[in-house]
Amino acid sequence: MRRDISRLADTTFDLLIVGAGIYGACAAWDAALRGLTVAVVDQGDFGAGTSANSLRIVHGGLRYLARGSFSRMLESIEERSTLLRIAPGLVEPVQVLVPTHGAAGRGRLAHSAALALNDLVSWNRNQHLDQDRNIPRGRVVSRRECLRLFPWFEPKGLSGGAIWHDAQLRHPERLTLSFVMAAASSGAVTANYLRVNGLLAQGGATQGARAIDTLTGAELDIRARSVLVAAGPWTRDLVATGLGAAALESPRRAMGLNVVIGRKLADVAFGVRSRSGSREDPVCGGRRFLFSAPQGTGTVLGTWYAPDHADPRATRDRGVLALLAEFNDACPGLELSPTDVVRCQWGWLPLKGGNEPGRPDALAERPRIVDYGRHGVRHLLSVEGVKYTTARLVAEQAVDRVFASLERTSPACRTAELRLQGAQDRAAPSAAAMPAREEIVQAVRDEMAVTLTDVVFRRTALGAVPGPERAAVESAARIAGAELGWDTLRQEAEIDAVFREAGVAGSALEAVG
C-alpha cells in the first residue's frame, strides 16, 4: 500500500469515501470487492480518531435483552462472530464479570435467566469459528469466586457474580488499518493526511471533492461518480459544501473518554454501576455501567461522557479525574489516582438530537445513512455510526445504498466471509520492546506510515501499555527518518509528537500534584 497522490488526481472513480475510520475503511473494502473503483482518503492517519478510542470490547448485545430489542441483539451477536472469524489475530473472546446483589433484578436468579436466554438467542454464535475463538456459555459464580476474580466490588449485599463472554479487540488501530489495506489489495486507492476541504457538484449530482495534501500543501480535485462521507463529527459540514448550503444543522455530539492505567486489575473484563446522578452524568442520565477490560499489562477504564464544550482539553482533563473518582466510588479500596494513568483516549460521539426517539441530549443508538438525492444532489451519501462492533454491517448497508444511487446492480457483499489478510496483532503483551528494523521499514514502505506517531501507535508494538520507551522511540525515529528523509531536527520533532500523544491529561495531573 503506497501513497500515490497522482493516481487520485488522474482517475475518475466510481466512489470516493471521505474518512478512513472503521466505517470508511470497511466501506472501502466492501465497495472494492464488489467491483467499484474506489478512493478512500482521511485528513489524518487511518483510524487515528474516534475509532482508536475504544474500550476494546466487541459487545454481543446482552444489554438489548432488557429492552426486548432482539433484532439489534442478533445483529451484534452476528457481527461479533464475524470479527472473530475474519480477524482472529486481532479479536479474541474475553470474560465479562458483573456483581449480583439481592433477590430482584440484580440478583443471581435474574442474571442466571438472562444468561440462559442470551445463550439461547446466540445458539449459532460459534458457527465457522476456530476452536480458540469460541464463545462459551454464561454462568453465575459464588460470592467468593466473584471477589477472587475482582476483589474491589462493594462487599455489602454482594451475593456473587454473573459471567458471560464477549470479544475483545487486541489493537483497534491495527484492525482499522487492516480493512484499509484489504481495500488497497482489492484495488482501492488510499491516502492518509489528505484533507477534503469541499465537495464538488454540478448539474444536481456530485462530481467528487477538492482536497489538499497536508504533507506537501499540494491541492487537487478527486473526481468521482459518487461520494460517501464517513468523516465522523466533520460529516455534516462536509456534506453542506456539496449541497451548496452555508451549513446543515450543527450535529449534537458528546465527548467519550476512556483512560488506560499501567496496572492490570483483573484477568477478566468487569462492569459495575456508577453512583453518579443525572447532574454529574447529563448524557447518560446517571447510574450508567462502568466497564473495564485488561489491556496487556494494563487496564482500560471507561467510559465518561460530556456534552460538547468549547474547550475540549479542559473537558478531557476534567473527565480523567471524574472517571477515576467514579471507579473509586463504585469499587471501594481500588484507590486509583491520576499517577496510575498512562494514556487518555477520547473522541466525539453523536447524540440523538431528534433523529431518533429519546432525549435529544442522550447518546445516539442507531447509525444514520443518508442519501442527499432528496436534498438536490444525487450520488452524495453519508454514514454516521455509533459503535465499532457493527461497523462492518453498517458499511455494507451504506455500500448497498451507493449502488442504488448509481442505479447499478449490486453484487453480494463478501466482507463477512473473507479473512482479513495481515490482521496480526503487533501490540501483543509478549511483543519485544523494540520491533525489528524490518518492521519499521515495512510500516513506511508498505503501510503508509508517514509520521513517527503512525509507526509507534498504529503500526508496531512500541505504543503498547505501559507506553513507549524513549530509547526505542529514538531508534525508531532514526530508522523511519532514513526512509522518509528526516534530518536531526525533524526526528526530534517527531519524537516530541509521540510523547505528546502518549501523554495523559497533563493539567489534570498538575491539579492534584
Side-chain angles (χ1 to χ4, degrees):
M1 185 173 70
R2 305 294 177 91
R3 193 172 187 273
D4 187 353
I5 301 302
S6 63
R7 288 183 65 192
L8 291 171
D10 296 343
T11 307
T12 297
F13 297 92
D14 292 324
L15 174 63
L16 166 64
I17 299 173
V18 182
I22 186 59
Y23 285 84
C26 288
W29 186 36
D30 186 6
L33 282 173
R34 295 201 219 183
L36 295 182
T37 55
V38 178
V40 56
V41 302
D42 197 282
Q43 65 176 350
D45 192 25
F46 306 119
T50 301
S51 295
N53 174 43
S54 169
L55 271 174
R56 299 173 177 243
I57 300 295
V58 181
H59 291 283
L62 181 59
R63 61 184 176 177
Y64 298 135
L65 265 182
R67 309 177 197 175
S69 184
F70 289 102
S71 61
R72 297 182 67 196
M73 184 178 179
L74 287 168
E75 281 184 354
S76 295
I77 291 168
E78 186 170 346
E79 289 307 301
R80 181 185 64 190
S81 295
T82 295
L83 289 175
L84 285 164
R85 184 171 58 251
I86 70 174
L90 289 171
V91 187
E92 62 185 1
V94 64
Q95 291 188 84
V96 184
L97 169 70
V98 297
T100 60
H101 296 85
R106 298 175 61 198
R108 287 168 56 88
L109 185 60
H111 278 85
S112 181
L115 294 177
L117 183 56
N118 181 55
D119 290 335
L120 180 63
V121 172
S122 62
W123 63 272
N124 63 343
R125 61 189 178 275
N126 294 321
Q127 227 172 12
H128 309 302
L129 289 184
D130 295 343
Q131 185 71 29
D132 63 349
R133 291 298 182 264
N134 280 359
I135 299 292
R137 296 176 62 86
R139 59 192 174 95
V140 293
V141 296
S142 67
R143 185 179 191 275
R144 181 179 179 180
E145 176 68 3
C146 181
L147 290 174
R148 184 189 69 79
L149 292 169
F150 186 74
W152 296 283
F153 284 134
E154 170 62 68
K156 184 178 180 180
L158 182 70
S159 60
I163 291 178
W164 71 90
H165 289 74
D166 265 324
Q168 184 173 29
L169 303 172
R170 295 178 65 90
H171 193 183
E173 300 91 336
R174 188 77 201 178
L175 182 55
T176 302
L177 178 67
S178 296
F179 279 106
V180 176
M181 293 178 67
S185 296
S186 300
V189 179
T190 61
N192 51 3
Y193 297 99
L194 193 76
R195 185 176 68 242
V196 169
N197 291 327
L199 303 180
L200 304 174
Q202 185 177 355
T206 190
Q207 301 291 312
R210 183 155 291 148
I212 182 169
D213 184 346
T214 61
L215 301 179
T216 65
E219 297 182 351
L220 68 152
D221 287 350
I222 307 172
R223 298 291 174 180
R225 299 176 183 91
S226 63
V227 174
L228 176 65
V229 181
W234 298 275
T235 293
R236 296 194 191 181
D237 287 342
L238 275 175
V239 167
T241 66
L243 298 179
L248 295 176
E249 181 183 356
S250 296
R252 304 194 67 180
R253 62 185 187 176
M255 176 184 287
L257 177 143
N258 302 310
V259 299
V260 182
I261 63 172
R263 56 189 171 108
K264 192 173 185 178
L265 298 180
D267 291 324
V268 299
F270 68 87
V272 63
R273 286 279 184 187
S274 166
R275 295 175 180 174
S276 297
S278 58
R279 182 176 179 179
E280 300 86 7
D281 183 17
V283 174
C284 296
R287 299 286 296 166
R288 76 186 185 284
F289 256 107
L290 303 171
F291 277 99
S292 168
Q295 182 178 330
T297 58
T299 307
V300 58
L301 310 171
T303 302
W304 180 85
Y305 303 98
D308 189 4
H309 292 290
D311 189 346
R313 180 186 174 91
T315 303
R316 179 201 69 182
D317 293 351
R318 178 167 59 89
V320 171
L321 296 179
L323 185 59
L324 295 178
E326 286 184 305
F327 269 94
N328 285 335
D329 188 39
C331 302
L334 196 55
E335 297 182 354
L336 296 172
S337 76
T339 57
D340 289 313
V341 179
V342 296
R343 188 169 306 163
C344 171
Q345 305 171 163
W346 63 277
W348 298 113
L349 302 170
L351 299 179
K352 291 184 176 181
N355 294 312
E356 56 183 276
R359 290 186 295 113
D361 57 350
L363 289 173
E365 296 184 278
R366 299 182 182 278
R368 295 189 71 215
I369 303 172
V370 181
D371 185 334
Y372 293 92
R374 58 190 175 90
H375 293 279
V377 179
R378 302 187 307 279
H379 318 317
L380 172 60
L381 301 95
S382 69
V383 57
E384 296 177 82
V386 295
K387 62 180 184 178
Y388 203 112
T389 301
T390 53
R392 189 217 60 84
L393 175 62
V394 175
E396 175 185 337
Q397 294 165 349
V399 174
D400 288 342
R401 297 283 291 274
V402 169
F403 272 94
S405 172
L406 292 171
E407 298 181 341
R408 296 189 188 181
T409 301
S410 173
C413 174
R414 300 166 59 206
T415 58
E417 305 167 5
L418 302 179
R419 184 164 292 196
L420 272 173
Q421 299 301 312
Q424 289 89 31
D425 183 20
R426 296 185 182 176
S430 60
M434 180 62 207
R437 176 189 182 91
E438 292 77 13
E439 189 178 335
I440 297 173
V441 171
Q442 180 186 0
V444 173
R445 293 183 182 178
D446 300 327
E447 298 177 350
M448 216 176 289
V450 297
T451 72
L452 194 59
T453 57
D454 299 341
V455 172
V456 170
F457 295 109
R458 292 176 289 278
R459 305 298 192 280
T460 70
L462 281 170
V465 176
E469 297 181 0
R470 179 164 288 273
V473 172
E474 290 173 349
S475 178
R478 290 191 294 271
I479 297 169
E483 291 291 315
L484 294 165
W486 297 341
D487 60 19
T488 302
L489 288 177
R490 175 64 185 274
Q491 289 181 33
E492 288 298 323
E494 292 286 334
I495 293 168
D496 289 344
V498 165
F499 286 100
R500 280 198 305 273
E501 184 161 328
V504 299
S507 60
L509 295 175
E510 293 165 9
V512 297

